[in-house]
Amino acid sequence: MKVYRNYIGGQWLESASQSAAPNLNPADTSDVLGTVKLSTREEARRAVESAAEAFRDWRSTPAPTRGRIVARFARLLEDDKENLAALLTREEGKTLAESRGELQRSINVAEFCAGEARRMNGETIQSELPSNFAYTIRQPHGVVACVTPWNFPVAIPVWKIAPALVAGNAVVFKPATVTPATAVRLTELLVEAGVPKGVFNLVLGSGSEAGDEITNHPAVRAVSFTGSNQVGLKLYEACARRGAKVQCEMGGKNPVVVLEDADMNLAVESTVQGAFGSTGQRCTATSRAIVVDRVADNFIERLIARAESLKIGDGSDPSTEVGPVVDSNQFKSVLSYIDAGREDGASLVAGGGVAEGPGLRKGYFIQPTVFVGVTPEMRIAREEIFGPVLSVMRVQDFDEAMRVANDSEYGLSSSIFSNDAARIFRFIDEIETGMTHVNSPTTGGEAHVPFGGIKATGIGEREQGSTALDFYTELKVVYVDYTGRKREGNLY
Ligand code: NDP
């Protein structure tokens, strides 16, 4: 049985820990990919120390040279795309088409970040004094921790690690415990790309031990986290206490608003894609459909037909449209939300339970589920489910749709289906989400565009795009006086 190893200080090391967990294929739990050992606090500390030591040389390596290594990593990812996509499907469960999409996004991000290495610019600033000027330079923090979830186990690490390295930081990477195989493969490619010893370190282990040790280590100057609000807010608090920088991308409860003039076919197809794509396990997944009463019956009727037509199965089968949820915890949690929907009085109109049929017995398969008659106070309207469950809410008009859409603690993504320019632009102005889409699903994003949420979803700078390096660099301000004289006046 394959035992996944840590990569610390330029060496592949098996953890000495006695605790371990099996890495299971969620489509068939008799398929065991390997064993992940849950690293000790001591091992996590060693990774941070290795990074701190390697940082000294790495920070003085010219940024374009660092960028060239990341560019090589992008090429290696491209060469390994099919292999990694198959591994991702086997480990996380998403369909092969979705895995290939995640790989392409990762390649695009790495390419973009490699280019940014030649644009790590500051600015020159005119002075109010003669023979003086000021300028700014971007400098790395030192050791940065990247802590990631299981749902995009390739793309999310890449969109943290690539900019962190380009900016000149040394990285300690703590992936989710349920997706160690993809994390190890990414590490192998980074090593092959030429990242120097100690500059990049992989620590496999539980969040509560290894993750806690890394993120609370005084040498870790910045923590980039994607995951749940429960963990993210704890990290935010701990980092704030020691003045470390923190970036948290957390949960979502993303609405689509469907108005009476929408192209109904497009609205239904996009909602199905947003709600059930990646088995609903995307932070940007559509979880609330807010539909004006005049078109609600039509929308619901088509939605039920589409949800029921989706083919559920092992993601490695090319005809599969909806794969399993990732593990037994997610399985239980999603099913308990379906129970909560029933208990709170919503009407179940599609799915609603474990998916059964040939080839589904050994996996964590849940039917694409639609509730109607959902009201804003119900748990399924308020809490993130992170599974294939959609709540449909009827509203009288646009104004009520806006109130309902914004009645959420979260603020990641949203979309509107309409052909009325005035109401589309009002929606863009008033919707309380960090990203919004017009006549397209709540999901999806491009590598060179900033990504992130507001309200309880996001803390700190946006990831990716023109803002990708903001979190990973400090701005140093330099004043230059070439008068050669003591300054008179203006002594503030
Ligand atoms: P978790 O918050 O449970 O875990 C995320 C990561 O944090 C894992 O690596 C986990 O390790 C680690 N961790 C857990 N506890 C600690 C701790 N005390 N100290 C340090 N690290 C810790 O999230 P999930 O993996 O379950 O991911 C699902 C969540 O991610 C959803 O809420 C989803 O919305 C969010 N998400 C948000 C995105 C966004 O951009 N807004 C994008 C994708 C997902 P371990 O695996 O060992 O528990």
Side-chain angles (χ1 to χ4, degrees):
M1 177 66 54
K2 185 177 175 72
V3 177
Y4 304 109
R5 289 179 297 170
N6 291 325
Y7 185 72
I8 299 174
Q11 284 182 291
W12 288 100
L13 301 168
E14 187 172 322
S15 167
S17 169
Q18 296 305 309
S19 342
N23 183 18
L24 305 180
N25 177 346
D28 174 359
T29 53
S30 65
D31 175 22
V32 185
L33 283 75
T35 300
V36 56
K37 288 204 166 181
L38 306 180
S39 303
T40 61
R41 287 182 178 272
E42 162 58 23
E43 288 160 339
R45 268 199 301 279
R46 221 178 307 138
V48 175
E49 285 155 16
S50 297
E53 207 183 308
F55 170 65
R56 286 195 289 270
D57 284 343
W58 185 238
R59 68 167 297 171
S60 54
T61 303
T65 307
R66 299 192 297 248
R68 211 169 296 132
I69 294 173
V70 173
R72 214 174 295 137
F73 170 62
R75 293 286 71 79
L76 292 169
L77 265 181
E78 194 160 42
D79 295 345
D80 204 46
K81 185 174 173 184
E82 280 306 305
N83 168 44
L84 241 170
L87 183 64
L88 171 52
T89 290
R90 190 170 162 218
E91 181 171 61
E92 197 268 354
K94 63 183 64 177
T95 67
L96 255 183
E98 289 163 345
S99 291
R100 290 189 182 115
E102 178 168 347
L103 258 298
Q104 192 53 52
R105 173 88 172 263
S106 311
I107 295 162
N108 297 349
V109 168
E111 279 174 351
F112 174 80
C113 290
E116 287 296 275
R118 291 186 181 271
R119 278 186 294 269
M120 265 188 59
N121 305 331
E123 57 177 342
T124 53
I125 303 161
Q126 296 292 316
S127 172
E128 52 190 60
L129 302 170
S131 299
N132 273 262
F133 73 102
Y135 68 96
T136 60
I137 46 179
R138 282 175 182 267
Q139 294 193 311
H141 299 293
V143 181
V144 169
C146 299
V147 181
T148 57
W150 46 262
N151 67 329
F152 278 82
V154 177
I156 295 176
V158 171
W159 81 51
K160 293 181 189 302
I161 294 164
L165 291 177
V166 159
N169 299 286
V171 172
V172 179
F173 170 37
K174 204 318 263 167
T177 298
V178 291
T179 51
T182 40
V184 166
R185 186 66 195 132
L186 278 184
T187 305
E188 287 167 353
L189 298 181
L190 282 162
V191 173
E192 198 181 332
V195 178
K197 288 187 172 126
V199 168
F200 176 81
N201 302 272
L202 166 71
V203 180
L204 301 167
S206 76
S208 55
E209 290 250 331
D212 181 73
E213 188 66 33
I214 294 163
T215 53
N216 284 299
H217 196 295
V220 172
R221 298 308 310 145
V223 176
S224 180
F225 168 84
T226 299
S228 63
N229 284 64
Q230 197 193 358
V231 175
L233 291 180
K234 226 176 100 186
L235 288 187
Y236 184 40
E237 233 181 281
C239 289
R241 242 179 271 127
R242 66 172 201 277
K245 239 182 144 183
V246 63
Q247 172 183 58
C248 293
E249 280 302 329
M250 301 173 284
K253 194 70 196 167
N254 311 298
V256 323
V257 166
V258 182
L259 299 183
E260 54 273 38
D261 63 339
D263 174 333
M264 209 40 67
N265 207 26
L266 180 65
V268 170
E269 286 304 316
S270 303
T271 303
V272 166
Q273 215 177 338
F276 305 123
S278 299
T279 323
Q281 300 179 124
R282 287 171 178 239
C283 49
T284 52
T286 307
S287 60
R288 296 179 292 154
I290 300 163
V291 190
V292 292
D293 200 42
R294 259 181 53 196
V295 292
D297 287 340
N298 184 8
F299 178 86
I300 291 166
E301 192 184 321
R302 292 178 190 222
L303 182 69
I304 295 170
R306 280 296 284 122
E308 288 178 341
S309 74
L310 293 169
K311 179 157 186 294
I312 305 167
D314 186 329
S316 63
D317 174 344
S319 66
T320 293
E321 292 174 285
V322 181
V325 297
V326 77
D327 67 0
S328 62
N329 288 337
Q330 271 310 107
F331 190 66
K332 283 184 220 140
S333 164
V334 174
L335 290 175
S336 79
Y337 271 112
I338 294 174
D339 288 343
R342 286 197 186 94
E343 281 161 23
D344 289 354
S347 308
L348 184 69
V349 292
V354 176
E356 285 161 3
L360 303 184
R361 202 174 46 82
K362 291 198 220 154
Y364 301 119
F365 294 100
I366 295 179
Q367 296 169 314
T369 296
V370 179
F371 280 105
V372 299
V374 178
T375 52
E377 70 290 347
M378 291 181 184
R379 281 169 285 178
I380 56 169
R382 306 211 72 79
E383 296 174 25
E384 184 182 48
I385 300 173
F386 225 53
V389 180
L390 178 69
S391 297
V392 182
M393 305 163 89
R394 277 177 193 255
V395 290
Q396 285 311 308
D397 53 23
F398 176 75
D399 289 327
E400 190 185 355
M402 289 310 302
R403 276 198 303 279
V404 172
N406 284 334
D407 182 13
S408 171
E409 64 175 304
Y410 297 112
L412 184 55
S413 185
S414 56
S415 72
I416 183 166
F417 288 87
S418 169
N419 285 301
D420 173 354
R423 289 190 300 177
I424 290 172
F425 281 106
R426 258 192 71 196
F427 177 82
I428 293 167
D429 279 349
E430 294 171 22
I431 191 70
E432 295 168 0
T433 58
M435 299 177 288
T436 193
H437 299 256
V438 177
N439 291 324
S440 58
T442 54
T443 52
E446 297 193 32
H448 53 290
V449 180
F451 180 99
I454 59 172
K455 293 165 87 175
T457 297
I459 294 167
E461 281 92 351
R462 291 284 187 281
E463 301 193 80
Q464 303 179 67
S466 56
T467 49
L469 289 183
D470 291 351
F471 176 72
Y472 295 100
T473 52
E474 290 288 6
L475 209 60
K476 183 175 277 179
V477 179
V478 184
Y479 285 95
V480 179
D481 179 335
Y482 54 101
T483 59
R485 288 192 302 275
K486 180 176 159 236
R487 187 174 295 179
E488 312 267 338
N490 274 333
L491 294 176
Y492 42 79

